[in-house]
Amino acid sequence: LLWFHFLETTTVSFSVSNFGTSLASNVIAEMNVPAGNFVLVNSPSAGCNFVGNLLNCNFGGLNPGSFATGSVI
């Protein structure tokens, strides 16, 4: 008897944008991640960390007309 367990991989991409005319400060993106999941975060312009199941990415300031991206795998 053989048992196979297939892991499903999902990638979620996100972006934050500043459509205003002045600097957007303290730009933060947050996402709840279910417990027990392994998560890889790729966001070159943000410092990301976990607090419990909450992923918190701090982008700092965004200039007018700019955006930043990230992905969670």
Side-chain angles (χ1 to χ4, degrees):
L1 179 63
L2 296 174
W3 289 92
F4 292 95
H5 181 73
F6 294 97
L7 299 176
E8 185 175 322
T9 301
T10 302
T11 301
V12 177
S13 297
F14 60 93
S15 65
V16 291
S17 302
N18 181 0
F19 294 111
T21 59
S22 61
L23 176 71
S25 58
N26 300 319
V27 178
I28 296 173
E30 294 182 334
M31 178 185 307
N32 282 311
V33 179
N37 289 296
F38 176 78
V39 176
L40 172 65
V41 180
N42 178 17
S43 182
S45 58
C48 298
N49 61 19
F50 281 95
V51 177
N53 292 346
L54 182 66
L55 171 65
N56 181 307
C57 293
N58 187 337
F59 291 89
L62 284 178
N63 290 318
S66 67
F67 67 94
T69 62
S71 59
V72 178
I73 301 170

